[in-house]
Amino acid sequence: MRNNSCLKVVLLWLWLWLMPWIVQAMTIESFNINSDLKVTGVDICDTLSLPLQGIEYDSVITISNNVNIQGLNDNILGFSKGVFNSGSGDPEENSYCNGNRCVINPDKQVNKINLPVFDTVGGSVISSWGDKNKKIFPGKYTDINIGKSDIIFYGGDYFIDKLSVHTRSEITIEGNVRFFIKEMSIGGSNVNMSGKSSDFQVFIYDSNTMAIVSNNAKIKAYIYSESERPLQLTNTVEFYGSIIARELEFNATVSYVGENSCEIEAKPIDFELLPNDTTFLTCEMVPIVINVLDDNGNLNINYNGEVSLRTDIAQSNVAFWMVNDNRVDVTKEIKVNIKKGQGSAVLKSNIIADVKVFAQIKDIVKSNRYKFVPYKFYAESQRIIAGKPKNIDVSVLSCNNNLVDVETSYSGVRNLNFKTEYISPSTKGNGIINVRNKNIKFESGKTSLNIMYPDSGIVNLIITDPSCTNDNCTVNKTKNNKRAIDGELTGSVSIFSRPWTFAMCPQGSDRFTGTTNSGNGLVAAGDTFVMRAKPLQWMAGDKVNNSIDVSDDKYCQRPITPNFFAQDAPVTTVTASVAGIDTPKKGHQGKLTGKVAQSNTELHDNTAMIFNDLRWSEVGSVKLAMIADSYLGMTINSSQRAIGRFYPKQFVIKDSAIINAHTESSPFTYMDQTFKANVIVEAQNAVGEPTRNYGAFAPRLKERLLLTAVDLNSNTRLNDVSTRIDQSNLVVGWQHDWQQAQLTINDGALTFKRLPKNNNNSAVTITTADGPFKVGLGLSVLPRSECLVSGCTDFANKTQTLQRYNQSQVLTAPLNGWVDSRYGRMVLDDASGVFDQPLTMPLKVEYWNGDQFTINTDDSRSHFNSQWSCKQIIYTSKPHAKASLSATTNNVLQGKNYSLQVLPGVDENESYIKQQLRFWLRIAAHPASNIGCTENENVNQPWLTFNWRGIGDEDPSGLVTFGNYRGNDRIIYRSENASINP
């Protein structure tokens, strides 16, 4: 027994000795050392408006198999694109949204949330398997791996590299929990099913890893995902809450119940306790006012509730409350109803005293201290502009028969002390309240002070007369000469000071001075640009009426009001908007998008509010305005500044067509024959909208377009045939002829030129047959050296490869279609026959197929007119010149024609004549050389000429021989009239 007792004592001693280390070890395992981590200004509720939304501008939701989505507004999915696998084959046909068709509405997409920098450096690792009621606290974690455990995440912010929740786990959310995460996998477990979806917010960063909820998981959450890899809900999932994602996939038995409770859940209360003045007379009834504020610092008229008021006074009958005509001693706490955001009670002190008042709504407590005296300095609350002097009337007040009255006995020059008390914010900024009077003289208890405060916010001016004490100040004696006050004569004035206006400044090396005529480029239309809004002090000479033009960069160097950015400063919303168009005059105003409004407590660097997600949809320069309509009940002077130059983000070929000259069969065009091109090029912003102001840009600031040609049949890398495209018939300067956002080539006449042969006789054209070519046309932008300064625009979708000799490969934007370009010629076959009968002269058109000339059976349009011809007599047996071509006008059919006849010109019974002639059909501008032809008319088809005789490309010709079949004179041939003696 004794041994057992000793053992128990030893074990007990060991337990007591080890317990602190055991507790410490358990504690270290349960929470992270970075538990004080706190992110401000990030809340899905600030962005969310629908239970399912995408992130601008190209979000996609993919839904397939057994999916049911409930809780939507009019079945709207706020995504750019929806992909539905309903089995019908129609991409829009589906019944996923509560049994009805889901409606895609890109206008309901939202902007990106400005997430904090992801940082898990020094983070912990947690592996929990089979644990019960394990507690995890806010902080940084490189890995959290949970399986078959009951886990409690306590309120706060968690940065997590990788979260894995495996089968049969129960995750409880206590308070408001936010996960900032890169990789997430939740399966077979319940997450936050006993809480509210808005209590658990998950922010997923863009990374190469995946986020997935699967395998019989149930979860209540708000999820925001910027990742390009899809957020997946798959394999039997129940989800309650809302999702904002760039890519989202639902697949295989997903039940989604949309909840957007942001609108109805109470947000943290912010309120103000008034008045800010600290000194009151013992005969005054002081109204204590509580104003509940919304997110913009304005009275929240939608709030109804209750506020508790109490004081630090423990002694009865010192002071009392008046609530609804009921008098309550200040030693007791009172409840005051708040209706439409406001509640009030009256405080009255019976004696000279300091009373500290506490106001509490839920767990938010605020306090003010009020000093009750028989005499005080008094001035009405002042609303001023930072840096601008203002005269204020100051009086000395006293209680006379329990009524407030001016103490007229206080007169003469007074040496007063002044002190600045900082209320909101509670810290000193860049100065104190400056009283500019040299001599302060009171007459019958009144004077005027000239004050200036160089910062913004709420401050009190504490006025004290150090010489006015119990012993030597008349005002401190009552009518019956009893001592009335301990200490000095004092008082306070509440001053509400606002910035004068906002300077609008560029970020870093950016410039805002570009216009449609000159200056630097800023950014492409629709891309983000940064605006720094600096709250300025007023300076001598500044206006105070209307909007202030701050286009001069000197405003960015002016003194600011730094207290505008303090953590506990009065809140206001500053909004950027389009005030008008700067250049071009009367241009299209466009739209300003992105995050155009933010409070002064959001993104800033203590010198300027940073608007880093602004986008203007147009080009040129725009007049932007910065507006803050409600700062301490005052409107800050709006400012305006011309911002530019914005230039098109891209060129897009909206429509194009290449029209071959011959379309009667397989379309083709002869070399040197005109074909047509139609093109509509549009200058666009980043989201594909037309930028209509581009046509008004100065020519030197417009891009110069280049029309190029490639051989699409080329088996070699060198496919550039641009030099053979004749563009001389296009309108001069077509490259700059923009009409608003579009440049148009309408039926532009082009030719693919024949290949010339070196020739000493410049007056004669000699070409070489080559081809055929499959010619593709493209457009590109001629490069400029000053793009980094001026800003340049190029074509989107440049897919046509162009390779020149000894140069780098380039890409062009292709036009639709191509030119089947063939080297062609018109051929007249020789004809011979009896001397007195017409002869048929076959005509055909041929093209070079790469090896030889062959009949162009695709041609049924090439034309000829026999009356426009030339004749050369080569031989005649007797003077005779009557042979001619019959009058025929016709086209070839599938490359041939047999309607052309040659008449011998022999009269009836005329004796035998043998003759040989050459006929040319006129198709070129000039007749064949050396034949003495005077015929000027021609069927203008120079693309069918050919170098028949080695002296240059010329009209087609054929040799005609009459009397070829005379033979033996002793034989009478058919059709001969009589015997002819030799």
Side-chain angles (χ1 to χ4, degrees):
M1 284 295 289
R2 177 177 295 179
N3 290 337
N4 289 338
S5 299
C6 291
L7 180 61
K8 289 180 181 179
V9 170
V10 170
L11 290 175
L12 178 60
W13 179 84
L14 284 172
W15 170 252
L16 293 174
W17 183 78
L18 290 172
M19 184 171 63
W21 281 269
I22 296 173
V23 172
Q24 183 183 27
M26 293 174 64
T27 305
I28 292 174
E29 185 184 5
S30 298
F31 69 87
N32 190 280
I33 60 172
N34 297 301
S35 59
D36 59 344
L37 186 65
K38 183 67 177 175
V39 175
T40 60
V42 178
D43 191 342
I44 294 180
C45 285
D46 293 337
T47 302
L48 193 66
S49 62
L50 291 176
L52 274 172
Q53 290 179 281
I55 299 173
E56 288 186 326
Y57 292 92
D58 54 357
S59 61
V60 179
I61 183 171
T62 302
I63 305 176
S64 58
N65 297 328
N66 187 20
V67 174
N68 185 31
I69 303 174
Q70 303 178 48
L72 301 182
N73 301 333
D74 299 324
N75 298 326
I76 292 176
L77 303 177
F79 286 79
S80 176
K81 180 182 178 182
V83 179
F84 303 103
N85 183 14
S86 59
S88 68
D90 185 343
E92 294 189 359
E93 188 62 35
N94 66 87
S95 57
Y96 294 125
C97 292
N98 202 23
N100 298 304
R101 186 171 73 89
C102 301
V103 178
I104 297 295
N105 188 343
D107 292 339
K108 297 296 184 180
Q109 296 178 97
V110 299
N111 294 323
K112 279 187 176 182
I113 294 175
N114 188 23
L115 295 179
V117 175
F118 188 85
D119 179 16
T120 56
V121 176
S124 301
V125 175
I126 287 183
S127 180
S128 176
W129 288 85
D131 292 326
K132 300 297 182 184
N133 298 320
K134 184 179 182 65
K135 300 174 182 178
I136 301 178
F137 291 87
K140 298 178 183 179
Y141 297 88
T142 57
D143 187 52
I144 298 179
N145 195 354
I146 298 169
K148 299 181 181 180
S149 296
D150 295 343
I151 303 294
I152 301 173
F153 284 93
Y154 281 88
D157 295 335
Y158 297 73
F159 280 78
I160 307 171
D161 269 322
K162 182 178 180 181
L163 172 69
S164 302
V165 179
H166 303 280
T167 183
R168 294 194 310 232
S169 292
E170 190 77 28
I171 307 299
T172 301
I173 300 299
E174 286 286 346
N176 295 313
V177 170
R178 296 188 298 182
F179 281 4
F180 298 91
I181 200 164
K182 282 198 171 181
E183 182 177 357
M184 179 180 76
S185 176
I186 298 175
S189 300
N190 295 338
V191 179
N192 192 35
M193 290 306 293
S194 60
K196 294 184 296 184
S197 56
S198 58
D199 284 343
F200 183 35
Q201 297 190 8
V202 180
F203 299 87
I204 301 172
Y205 288 71
D206 189 6
S207 67
N208 293 323
T209 55
M210 182 173 289
I212 186 168
V213 180
S214 63
N215 299 331
N216 298 299
K218 297 180 180 180
I219 182 172
K220 284 186 177 182
Y222 284 177
I223 298 181
Y224 170 89
S225 175
E226 288 186 354
S227 179
E228 291 188 10
R229 298 196 66 178
L231 168 63
Q232 291 187 349
L233 274 67
T234 183
N235 292 335
T236 312
V237 171
E238 290 183 25
F239 186 93
Y240 302 85
S242 295
I243 293 178
I244 298 173
R246 184 171 177 179
E247 296 276 348
L248 179 61
E249 287 185 6
F250 290 165
N251 181 35
T253 315
V254 174
S255 175
Y256 185 96
V257 180
E259 295 179 357
N260 181 5
S261 55
C262 293
E263 299 173 356
I264 59 175
E265 292 177 358
K267 293 188 176 182
I269 297 297
D270 188 19
F271 66 91
E272 58 183 358
L273 175 62
L274 300 175
N276 291 313
D277 302 300
T278 58
T279 307
F280 296 93
L281 298 177
T282 53
C283 54
E284 286 185 274
M285 304 287 283
V286 180
I288 305 298
V289 178
I290 298 88
N291 291 328
V292 178
L293 307 177
D294 61 19
D295 289 342
N296 295 322
N298 300 318
L299 185 68
N300 187 354
I301 60 174
N302 296 316
Y303 184 86
N304 297 305
E306 192 176 67
V307 59
S308 300
L309 295 177
R310 65 181 186 275
T311 71
D312 62 347
I313 303 298
Q315 182 181 350
S316 300
N317 299 320
V318 171
F320 60 87
W321 300 107
M322 288 294 296
V323 183
N324 299 326
D325 296 328
N326 294 321
R327 179 168 171 161
V328 180
D329 196 89
V330 294
T331 56
K332 296 181 180 179
E333 182 178 277
I334 62 171
K335 304 288 187 182
V336 176
N337 290 329
I338 296 178
K339 295 182 179 180
K340 294 185 177 182
Q342 192 171 70
S344 65
V346 173
L347 177 64
K348 173 69 168 64
S349 177
N350 298 322
I351 63 171
I352 300 168
D354 283 349
V355 180
K356 189 172 185 179
V357 174
F358 299 88
Q360 181 171 358
I361 301 178
K362 297 186 177 179
D363 57 347
I364 306 297
V365 179
K366 295 194 175 183
S367 64
N368 272 345
R369 182 172 293 279
Y370 302 107
K371 186 175 184 178
F372 289 89
V373 296
Y375 303 96
K376 71 172 185 176
F377 289 110
Y378 170 78
E380 291 185 351
S381 297
Q382 301 296 315
R383 298 186 181 275
I384 67 172
I385 300 173
K388 189 174 187 300
K390 185 177 182 181
N391 289 323
I392 63 172
D393 293 328
V394 178
S395 303
V396 176
L397 302 182
S398 64
C399 292
N400 187 5
N401 295 324
N402 212 30
L403 296 175
V404 178
D405 198 2
V406 176
E407 182 57 52
T408 59
S409 64
Y410 190 81
S411 298
V413 175
R414 296 287 179 168
N415 184 18
L416 305 181
N417 290 341
F418 301 99
K419 179 183 176 183
T420 303
E421 182 182 28
Y422 300 94
I423 305 300
S424 180
S426 58
T427 54
K428 181 180 178 180
N430 65 346
I432 62 172
I433 303 171
N434 182 12
V435 180
R436 298 152 64 91
N437 302 63
K438 292 184 178 180
N439 296 306
I440 301 173
K441 183 178 181 180
F442 281 82
E443 294 183 0
S444 299
K446 295 181 179 180
T447 192
S448 178
L449 298 179
N450 184 263
I451 66 168
M452 188 277 287
Y453 180 54
D455 214 329
S456 59
I458 304 173
V459 290
N460 283 344
L461 176 63
I462 309 298
I463 307 172
T464 304
D465 184 348
S467 64
C468 191
T469 62
N470 297 327
D471 299 328
N472 60 4
C473 191
T474 304
V475 75
N476 280 340
K477 305 295 182 182
T478 62
K479 303 299 181 182
N480 56 7
N481 289 325
K482 292 182 179 179
R483 197 169 80 176
I485 186 170
D486 292 327
E488 303 165 327
L489 173 61
T490 188
S492 63
V493 183
S494 287
I495 296 174
F496 300 81
S497 178
R498 68 168 174 89
W500 169 53
T501 191
F502 294 101
M504 302 165 69
C505 306
Q507 175 88 329
S509 61
D510 289 348
R511 298 289 299 276
F512 282 170
T513 55
T515 69
T516 54
N517 299 310
S518 63
N520 292 358
L522 176 63
V523 72
D527 280 351
T528 58
F529 66 98
V530 179
M531 173 76 73
R532 294 171 55 82
K534 304 180 75 171
L536 300 183
Q537 300 177 34
W538 182 92
M539 295 177 66
D542 289 337
K543 299 178 181 179
V544 292
N545 297 322
N546 304 323
S547 183
I548 310 299
D549 187 341
V550 294
S551 295
D552 195 320
D553 276 335
K554 69 180 183 182
Y555 287 97
C556 294
Q557 312 305 320
R558 291 269 298 262
I560 67 165
T561 58
N563 265 351
F564 188 73
F565 303 109
Q567 187 173 0
D568 56 342
V571 178
T572 189
T573 296
V574 182
T575 302
S577 63
V578 175
I581 189 75
D582 180 53
T583 62
K585 301 302 181 185
K586 298 182 180 179
H588 185 246
Q589 187 164 295
K591 296 179 180 178
L592 188 69
T593 58
K595 189 171 183 180
V596 299
Q598 65 182 37
S599 74
N600 53 315
T601 60
E602 292 183 68
L603 187 61
H604 64 82
D605 62 1
N606 295 321
T607 63
M609 295 179 63
I610 302 174
F611 289 80
N612 63 354
D613 186 26
L614 296 177
R615 303 178 180 91
W616 189 43
S617 63
E618 259 298 343
V619 296
S621 54
V622 62
K623 292 179 182 176
L624 288 190
M626 282 289 172
I627 301 168
D629 287 335
S630 180
Y631 180 81
L632 297 176
M634 298 178 284
T635 298
I636 299 173
N637 286 76
S638 65
S639 59
Q640 290 189 18
R641 179 167 186 176
I643 308 297
R645 181 179 52 256
F646 296 84
Y647 48 88
K649 174 69 173 181
Q650 61 191 13
F651 295 140
V652 171
I653 298 178
K654 292 288 289 184
D655 193 17
S656 65
I658 297 173
I659 305 169
N660 278 277
H662 291 261
T663 57
E664 57 268 21
S665 181
S666 297
F668 75 95
T669 303
Y670 291 112
M671 296 181 190
D672 279 354
Q673 186 179 20
T674 299
F675 63 92
K676 294 180 179 179
N678 293 322
V679 186
I680 299 176
V681 180
E682 187 170 83
Q684 295 182 347
N685 61 23
V687 294
E689 299 169 336
T691 52
R692 287 182 272 179
N693 294 338
Y694 189 59
F697 272 40
R700 69 180 187 84
L701 292 176
K702 294 178 186 174
E703 304 299 344
R704 184 180 174 190
L705 303 189
L706 179 67
L707 184 66
T708 57
V710 300
D711 180 10
L712 301 176
N713 285 325
S714 177
N715 292 322
T716 66
R717 292 179 62 250
L718 305 178
N719 66 348
D720 181 20
V721 291
S722 301
T723 57
R724 294 183 65 174
I725 295 292
D726 183 358
Q727 306 179 37
S728 62
N729 290 322
L730 294 180
V731 175
V732 176
W734 66 268
Q735 299 96 331
H736 296 303
D737 191 19
W738 290 84
Q739 303 299 315
Q740 294 190 350
Q742 292 188 341
L743 182 148
T744 301
I745 300 176
N746 188 22
D747 288 339
L750 302 167
T751 57
F752 187 86
K753 296 182 294 184
R754 292 181 170 199
L755 182 65
K757 182 183 292 185
N758 290 334
N759 171 25
N760 294 327
N761 184 358
S762 60
V764 177
T765 300
I766 301 175
T767 59
T768 300
D770 68 342
F773 295 99
K774 183 178 180 180
V775 181
L777 299 182
L779 285 172
S780 57
V781 174
L782 284 174
R784 291 192 291 152
S785 61
E786 71 275 15
C787 288
L788 290 177
V789 175
S790 297
C792 289
T793 307
D794 202 353
F795 279 90
N797 302 321
K798 296 193 298 182
T799 58
Q800 185 166 272
T801 302
L802 184 147
Q803 182 66 60
R804 300 183 177 96
Y805 175 74
N806 206 24
Q807 293 187 29
S808 300
Q809 176 181 293
V810 296
L811 296 175
T812 66
L815 276 60
N816 289 324
W818 63 83
V819 181
D820 185 349
S821 186
R822 306 176 185 181
Y823 186 100
R825 69 183 186 181
M826 183 177 283
V827 181
L828 287 177
D829 283 349
D830 294 343
S832 63
V834 297
F835 80 96
D836 60 350
Q837 295 296 315
L839 298 177
T840 297
M841 196 174 202
L843 182 149
K844 57 191 175 184
V845 287
E846 298 176 334
Y847 77 97
W848 181 258
N849 67 5
D851 295 317
Q852 62 184 3
F853 281 102
T854 185
I855 293 176
N856 189 0
T857 57
D858 294 325
D859 189 349
S860 293
R861 203 179 94 188
S862 289
H863 187 65
F864 65 91
N865 186 341
S866 65
Q867 298 182 74
W868 299 339
S869 61
C870 299
K871 179 176 66 175
Q872 181 187 19
I873 299 174
I874 298 174
Y875 170 83
T876 180
S877 59
K878 64 179 181 179
H880 186 82
K882 294 181 180 179
S884 64
L885 295 176
S886 63
T888 304
T889 300
N890 212 333
N891 293 347
V892 296
L893 178 64
Q894 294 183 345
K896 301 176 183 179
N897 188 281
Y898 297 98
S899 65
L900 183 63
Q901 289 192 321
V902 186
L903 305 178
V906 178
D907 293 334
E908 189 176 354
N909 298 320
E910 188 171 357
S911 60
Y912 170 80
I913 299 175
K914 185 173 182 178
Q915 52 185 334
Q916 193 173 52
L917 311 98
R918 182 171 290 278
F919 287 92
W920 278 267
L921 285 179
R922 293 299 323 283
I923 63 173
H926 301 288
S929 302
N930 306 321
I931 63 171
C933 181
T934 59
E935 177 59 63
N936 292 322
E937 298 291 338
N938 68 85
V939 178
N940 190 26
Q941 298 174 138
W943 48 87
L944 294 176
T945 61
F946 186 67
N947 185 20
W948 296 102
R949 299 183 295 165
I951 60 174
D953 294 357
E954 61 181 3
D955 297 324
S957 65
L959 189 66
V960 179
T961 304
F962 288 101
N964 246 10
Y965 302 121
R966 164 117 183 103
N968 194 328
D969 284 339
R970 296 183 182 275
I971 300 173
I972 300 174
Y973 290 92
R974 197 177 92 175
S975 299
E976 286 192 301
N977 293 330
S979 295
I980 305 289
N981 292 323

